Amino acid sequence: MTPPPTATTDASYQPIPGCYDEMVDARGATREHWTHLAETFRGLGTADLLDRRRQAARLLDQDGVVYHAYVEGDESRSEHGWKLDPLPTVLTSHEWQKLEAGLIERAELLNLVLEDLYGKRDLLRRGVVPPEAIYGHDGFLRACDGIRLPGSQQLFSYAADLGRDASGEWVVVSDRSQAPSGFGYALENRMVVSRVMPSLYRDAHVHRLAPFFRSLRTALQEAAPPGVEDPRIVVLSPGPWNETAFEHGILSSTLGYPLVEGSDLTVRGSGVWMRSLGRLEPVHVILRRVDGDSCDPLELRPDSLLGVPGLVEASRRGVVSVVNTLGSSALENPALLAFLPAISEHLLGRQLRLSTVPSWWCGDEDGRREVLARLDELVIRPLSRGSGSETVFGWELSNHELDELRARIEARPMGWVGQERVLTSGTPTLTDDGLVARRSLLRAFAVARNDSYAVMPGGLTRVAPDDGHGRISNQNGAIAKDTWVLASEPERLTGFWLQTGPVVEGIDPMAQVPSRVAENLFWLGRYAERAESVTRLLRVIDDRRTEFEGSANPAGVEALQTLLEAATGVTATSPGFLGDDAAELLRHPGHELRRLVVDERRAGTVGHAVRNMLGAAYAVRDQLSTDTFLVVGSLDRTISGIRDDARAADVQAALGKVIQALLSFSGLAQESMVRDLGWRFMDAGRRLERALQLLSLLRATVTRARGTASDSLVLESVLAAAESLITYRRRYRSQAQLETLLDLLLLDDGNPRSLAYQLTLVQEDLAALPVTGGRRLREDQRLVLEATTGLALADLAVVAHTDDEGGREALVELLDRQLELLSGAAAALDRDHFVHRLPQRPLA
């Protein structure tokens, strides 16, 4: 017997009028499959649920989950954290089986359409679809005609945006075939929700997502060109600032394939190759996250810097498989939705199980008449966005705007499609005031498997950020939800990762490190060390300010002035405390010091170093552990959180948090990263930067004698900034001396902060790098060896000598020579190991 309906979880919860509600039925009773969740929500209460939401936000923040939103027609980018509601959307196993069958059928139909459009074009010849509706869409790429993947599945992966109509039936609102995004975000949602709602997740017996990703991995291997038994697969990304860059990294890490950008690949001779350090590695399958028309500047968009010249020809010849197939964006044509019923009858002999949102192509007279008559009720979509047109909602337009739109449609009817407005279902969403019904869309995913498709059990649900009826999209701030498909019985584990049989030969680590990755790791190390060094110096200066700013103590004031001038010299942020306004800045240094922390556009500041460190980290997300992003994720917000009017104590507290995060990052690098080639480049960057920062600090502070009192303060500050003060005090109990300070900071190879220590380790790092040019010693090695020898031969008694005018010329000469050699070594390493592509220019 069907159990009696139960009361809703919250008397204040109100379904959206005229919309199907996921949790409650028309009588206001909780649907059976929501009963356990509703009781749990009621038992927890709003306060506890909000605490779970904060936990989820913290986990997402720690994982570095972001979405980069772009403003239409504007090159500016805004970064915001991924918004996740910890309350899932729930579907029964029985309902999912029907939905899954409909998704598979639709994917199979679109696969046939894709094969036909770039093959026989039977649909066009027979008049099932007008040629103008296909060729007028910018997703149809003529250069990709004839490109085929091995096997029968030309549409590798597919996603559908689905909503329920007022009766509760699922309707496909749009198809995603270009490079469907959301796989990785759905996986992240699941990991976070299962951690903040562990008991609920376990008790609900939710279908797992892992089998889908195993199917994705298998499909990628099977997509390899004929004859390739052990294919090399890469994930092609537009770069770390793409909207869904986080997803590219998590896909790369989950699947175990290198994350590359267009500059990492090249077409040579018989195939596509990845530029690894010192050699080229073959690439057989490319999982692309770059728009199809940007994948090859030779045959597609000539202004694209994201693609690989010659990739279309390589795909045409079948030496590489690009998935999704180049040209598959033709299936995202909104005009196809108007003809899909006829296409289904023609190709399958039946109508699709899943309904499609009613659509009308304005190039057809009847369709145009319908659209113009109901312009204020429909969603109007342009066939091509090249002209700057975008989707509009007729009901949001004024009479004047409707008249303008009507004129544009009548002037070029073939370029427009009208769609019925679908008031999608309401889903309980957690707000500060409790559970509120918000309109929702489900993005469901499928990937080729054998001669059909495997569907992710669940998907990515997004809900409207407010009570409005506008577009539900990440660009507009939609809130994500995990989607649970409830198993009718405990799910059996299948497709285990652990395998028996012959031992699989591992891939050479050198083959997994593209030049771009090595360069980003090198600069990740450098920027991390730069941020730490500058932060330490600023903290020491802040301590001296507390003691001596505005003081009548001449020695303290002179020491503070020396340190402030050193801050400008070390950071190279001239004019600063060395410019024409230096006198005024030295009297009131607070504003300039704050700029040295937060001004990320000014090279040399902590903010600039942190911003570039994070950029390098996001660019090599697939190389770094999840724990790394626990550390680096908060750095940017710490810097950004310092207001212009922040008190000195607030700035000091923020610098403490920065140091804590940077030390944690350093510890992870030392204790958790494999000593592979990537680590060597990162460590070399750290060691060279630490050496350069130390030399610059000494050059700016101890190369001239002042008075005994002020020099004592300066030397103490230098030791504190170099994290060696306690060691010095323990070793040299007497008054500070320049010679012993130089011994500890320059020559002591047992001091992890000394120059000698850095030179020893950087020599080890450089020796592990690939040999270039056939020379016994590369230039970077030769320069570091010369620096090491020069330091070993230095006579501290001579170096520390002060002339009658207070100068220390021998020390200046030693420091300048070391700076020259190590800067040259860094430049030589960059030149010999990293590939810097010249700007591309059209031949015409």
Side-chain angles (χ1 to χ4, degrees), residues 421-471:
R421 178 185 185 183
V422 179
L423 291 178
T424 55
S425 62
T427 299
T429 304
L430 182 62
T431 70
D432 293 343
D433 298 323
L435 298 189
V436 175
R438 293 277 174 83
R439 293 174 50 248
S440 64
L441 274 178
L442 167 64
R443 178 167 292 186
F445 306 98
V447 66
R449 185 177 67 182
N450 301 326
D451 291 329
S452 186
Y453 288 86
V455 177
M456 177 187 288
L460 176 63
T461 295
R462 289 167 296 168
V463 298
D466 51 39
D467 297 331
H469 296 294
R471 192 173 187 181

Side-chain angles (χ1 to χ4, degrees), residues 5-23:
T6 59
T8 58
T9 179
D10 188 342
S12 64
Y13 179 79
Q14 296 295 323
I16 301 172
C19 295
Y20 181 90
D21 192 86
E22 295 290 335
M23 186 172 69

Side-chain angles (χ1 to χ4, degrees), residues 67-80:
Y67 182 86
H68 301 292
Y70 292 84
V71 179
E72 194 74 32
D74 187 357
E75 294 183 358
S76 64
R77 177 190 71 249
S78 66
E79 174 184 305
H80 59 71

